[in-house]
Every structure is written in C-alpha cells, then in structure tokens.
C-alpha cells in the first residue's frame, strides 16, 4: 500500500522513478480506510533530501500512511527553498492539537553544541513533551536520539576523538527477540556520521531503557523504553547510497580533517564509488516500527493516546 503525501511534493517523482508506491492527497482522500498518521520533525538542513530518504524507508507499509512535515519556528533553515517550506511544512503551533500514530525526529548538524545552546532547544523540548500525550511511538534518529535520551532520561552525550564515519557492522544485543529487528540477519550494516556518542553504562544504569543493538566498532545503535513508545537510533539507516560520499567530498573541499568513510567505497577507492549494503535492513527497520509499534498498537481513536495504558503497562518490548 502507498504512503500518502502532499500534492506536488518533490520527492514524488524520485520515488515514482524507483517504483515506490506513493499517493497524493487528492487520490488518497477517496479511499475509505483509517490510515496511519505519521509526523516527521525534519531538523536536517537539506529538507528535500531527508524527506525523500525517510519516505522511501516508510514506503513498504501494508496500509496507507499519511505524512505531515514539521519544522521548527524558532530557527529557519537556510539550505531549503522558502517556498518549499511554506508549501509543505507546518510548525508546532499548527499541529499541537492533533494526534499521531507515530513521529520521527531527525538528526541535526548541532551535535557538538551543548543541548541547551541549540537555538531551537526550548521548542524541541516542548515538542518532545507533547509527544508523550499526542504520539503513540516516536522514532529518534542520530542527534535526535541523543536529544531524546537526554531530555527524557538524562543520558548525556560525549565527544569522540575522531568522527564516526562510514558503514559499520551491527548485531542484536537484547537477550530476548525484539520486534524491531524481526527478519534481520545476525550481522547487518548501518551508516554513521557523527562527532558524539552515548555510553553503554549510562543506558544500562537506567532501568526504563533497554539496549537493543550495538556495534563493536561504534557502540550503542538502538535503544528503547520498555514499551516501544520511545525508540532511539544512533545511525542513519535511511541514508542514500551517495550521502556519505557527498559529506566526504564536501569536507575535503573545505579543508576539514576528515578520513575516508570506513567500509564504504569499493576496494576503499572513492573513484569506484560506494557499495550499498544497508538498504534491506533499513527497509525492515522502518517497516517493523510501523507495523509492530505503530499499526498493531495505536488505538483506532487517536485521541485516546493521552489516556491509553495498554502498551505502557507491558513488562517488556519483546515479540510476545
């Protein structure tokens, strides 16, 4: 089934060319079903690229998915056309009275700043607090994961001596089967691009959190609360094949100290291009989140999210 997006969104043509089923609002409005409602808080500078990546990752849902796009009002991005923002994006004030099955909070290029010094931190805090009563399950990505862990659980982030940059092997950590990783191989690959990290011991010290997946090379990857209402992903499974290539060449052109992304180029040769080895696991990650943590659990009447205790009172987040 398709994902439903605003009429004319630029990602439409890209996804259609990839044979991904997307549906504009006009056609979707004629279908008599209850779609999944997802809101994406896009904090990345290039909004269009991030939209396309996330829509591609969400495209294999078995039912219709309605997408709303949100940006911060306290900081206006400079890398995205203003007309695009005005046409397709809303702010918190526009959506605060709505309820959503799921929410995605993206990463942002502010990871080396203290959280409280980020221009839109106060607004983000307001949105994360709102999500507790207006969103059933929230998926936090990269800096969004660090911000969520810090706000909800007081987990700090730490600078790393050298940028975590490349494609790294990961495996499941939690002792019981976890719905988020159903269908995954024992070892799978994830792109990372970050200057900071969270520490395992800080997560382990919080009884409300579980570490689901880690990498021997780059640490904790996936963390969740006990009920799947808050999920934190430190990598970028949604990245395109050439995203890290663009970042690498950009930093080289600026004369910044950057090493070649690990395990990324064929034969470690940029001239031979990247090897895409994470698309299948990325698709599974988002499909599992939509199915097991959103579609299977959200009340039909979304306004009941604020009072519903069904998922909050569960003992754990396994497939049982």
């Amino acid at each position: 089934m398709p994902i439903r997006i605003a009429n004319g969104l630029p990602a439409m043509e890209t996804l259609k060319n990839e044979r991904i089923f997307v549906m504009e609002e006009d056609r979707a409005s004629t279908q008599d079903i209850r779609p999944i409602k997802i809101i994406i808080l896009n904090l990345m500078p290039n909004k269009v690229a991030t939209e396309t990546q996330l829509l591609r990752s969400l495209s294999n849902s078995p039912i219709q998915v309605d997408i709303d796009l949100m940006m911060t009002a306290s900081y206006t991005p400079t890398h995205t056309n203003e007309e695009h923002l005005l046409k397709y994006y809303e702010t918190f004030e526009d959506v605060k009275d709505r309820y959503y099955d799921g929410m995605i909070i993206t990463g942002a290029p502010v990871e080396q700043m203290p959280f409280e010094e980020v221009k839109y931190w106060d607004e983000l805090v307001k949105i994360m607090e709102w999500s507790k009563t207006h969103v059933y399950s929230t998926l936090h990505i990269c800096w969004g994961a660090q911000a969520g862990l810090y706000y909800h659980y007081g987990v700090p982030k730490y600078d790393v001596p050298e940028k975590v940059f490349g494609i790294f092997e990961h495996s499941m950590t939690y002792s019981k089967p976890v719905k988020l990783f159903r269908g995954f191989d024992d070892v799978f690959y994830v792109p990372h691009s970050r200057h900071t990290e969270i520490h395992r011991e800080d997560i382990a010290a919080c009884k409300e959190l579980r570490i689901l997946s880690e990498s021997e090379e780059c640490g904790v990857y996936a963390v969740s609360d006990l009920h799947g209402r808050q999920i934190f992903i430190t990598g970028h499974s949604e990245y395109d094949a050439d995203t890290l290539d663009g970042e690498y060449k950009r930093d080289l052109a600026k004369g910044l100290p950057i090493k070649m992304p690990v395990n990324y180029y064929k034969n470690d040769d940029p001239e031979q291009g990247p090897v895409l080895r994470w698309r299948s696991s990325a698709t599974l990650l988002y499909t599992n989140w939509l199915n097991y943590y959103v579609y299977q659990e959200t009340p039909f009447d979304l306004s009941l999210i604020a009072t519903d205790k069904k998922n909050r009172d569960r003992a754990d987040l396994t497939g049982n």
Side-chain angles (χ1 to χ4, degrees), residues 39 69-74 89-96 98 123 127:
I39 185 165
L69 299 172
M70 178 166 56
M71 66 177 187
T72 56
S74 48
Y89 278 80
E90 298 175 286
T91 64
F92 177 62
E93 287 300 312
D94 298 319
V95 307
K96 66 181 182 180
R98 302 177 196 166
E123 183 180 3
I127 293 170

Side-chain angles (χ1 to χ4, degrees), residues 45-97:
N46 188 335
K47 298 275 189 280
V48 175
T50 303
E51 292 157 17
T52 305
Q53 291 167 1
L54 289 174
L55 292 175
R56 179 187 297 112
S57 299
L58 294 168
S59 65
N60 286 300
S61 169
I63 67 169
Q64 183 176 302
V65 181
D66 282 4
I67 301 292
D68 285 346
L69 299 172
M70 178 166 56
M71 66 177 187
T72 56
S74 48
Y75 176 75
T76 303
T78 58
H79 292 77
T80 302
N81 184 278
E82 183 178 2
E83 182 180 353
H84 181 84
L85 297 176
L86 291 173
K87 186 173 182 179
Y88 298 113
Y89 278 80
E90 298 175 286
T91 64
F92 177 62
E93 287 300 312
D94 298 319
V95 307
K96 66 181 182 180
D97 294 326

Side-chain angles (χ1 to χ4, degrees), residues 21-293:
F21 189 9
V22 290
M23 184 182 294
E24 291 185 305
E25 289 175 328
D26 289 346
R27 180 182 174 192
S29 63
T30 65
Q31 295 190 320
D32 187 20
I33 60 172
R34 152 74 159 84
I36 293 176
K37 295 180 66 64
I38 302 292
I39 185 165
I40 299 173
L41 175 57
N42 192 349
L43 302 174
M44 293 294 279
N46 188 335
K47 298 275 189 280
V48 175
T50 303
E51 292 157 17
T52 305
Q53 291 167 1
L54 289 174
L55 292 175
R56 179 187 297 112
S57 299
L58 294 168
S59 65
N60 286 300
S61 169
I63 67 169
Q64 183 176 302
V65 181
D66 282 4
I67 301 292
D68 285 346
L69 299 172
M70 178 166 56
M71 66 177 187
T72 56
S74 48
Y75 176 75
T76 303
T78 58
H79 292 77
T80 302
N81 184 278
E82 183 178 2
E83 182 180 353
H84 181 84
L85 297 176
L86 291 173
K87 186 173 182 179
Y88 298 113
Y89 278 80
E90 298 175 286
T91 64
F92 177 62
E93 287 300 312
D94 298 319
V95 307
K96 66 181 182 180
D97 294 326
R98 302 177 196 166
Y99 293 88
Y100 290 90
D101 298 278
M103 179 179 187
I104 297 174
I105 299 177
T106 74
V110 294
E111 56 181 317
Q112 291 180 287
M113 299 173 61
F115 290 115
E116 291 83 1
E117 292 184 13
V118 175
K119 290 183 179 179
Y120 47 81
W121 178 251
D122 289 343
E123 183 180 3
L124 179 57
V125 163
K126 187 183 298 184
I127 293 170
M128 289 190 290
E129 184 62 27
W130 166 84
S131 73
K132 294 179 182 179
T133 55
H134 288 72
V135 179
Y136 203 79
S137 181
T138 301
L139 184 66
H140 308 71
I141 301 172
C142 200
W143 181 83
Q146 295 178 349
L149 286 167
Y150 179 72
Y151 172 69
H152 291 295
Y153 302 101
V155 175
K157 63 180 172 70
Y158 302 88
D159 290 335
V160 291
E162 186 175 277
K163 184 177 182 180
V164 180
F165 191 46
I167 312 301
F168 300 93
E169 286 189 355
H170 294 66
S171 59
M172 275 68 79
T173 300
Y174 197 55
S175 58
K176 299 178 182 180
V178 176
K179 295 180 292 185
L180 190 64
F181 292 104
R182 282 185 179 172
F184 273 65
D185 294 326
D186 290 341
V187 174
F188 58 95
Y189 295 90
V190 179
H192 287 260
S193 178
R194 50 186 168 83
H195 294 275
T196 54
E197 65 182 2
I198 53 176
H199 287 177
R200 191 184 205 284
E201 55 267 29
D202 293 329
I203 303 295
C206 183
K207 294 181 179 180
E208 299 174 78
L209 295 172
R210 292 290 182 269
I211 299 172
L212 308 182
S213 173
E214 297 174 87
S215 166
E216 291 184 3
E217 298 172 284
C218 58
V220 175
Y221 167 59
V223 177
S224 176
D225 67 4
L226 302 183
H227 321 296
R229 297 291 295 270
Q230 304 285 343
I231 298 174
F232 310 92
I233 303 294
T234 65
H236 280 288
S237 295
E238 77 284 354
Y239 267 4
D240 291 328
D242 60 356
T243 302
L244 293 186
D245 178 63
E247 291 184 16
Y248 177 56
K249 292 175 179 177
R250 176 200 65 198
D251 289 354
L252 283 179
K254 291 181 178 180
L256 299 176
I258 182 68
K259 289 188 176 181
M260 185 171 60
V262 175
N263 199 28
Y264 180 57
Y265 293 116
K266 185 177 181 180
N267 298 319
D268 283 334
D269 180 4
E271 295 301 318
Q272 296 187 43
V275 177
L276 179 60
R277 62 184 86 218
W278 63 92
R279 179 61 56 78
S280 59
S281 60
T283 299
L284 261 182
L285 179 78
Y286 283 91
T287 300
N288 286 347
W289 174 64
L290 279 176
N291 184 27
Y292 298 117
Y293 297 86

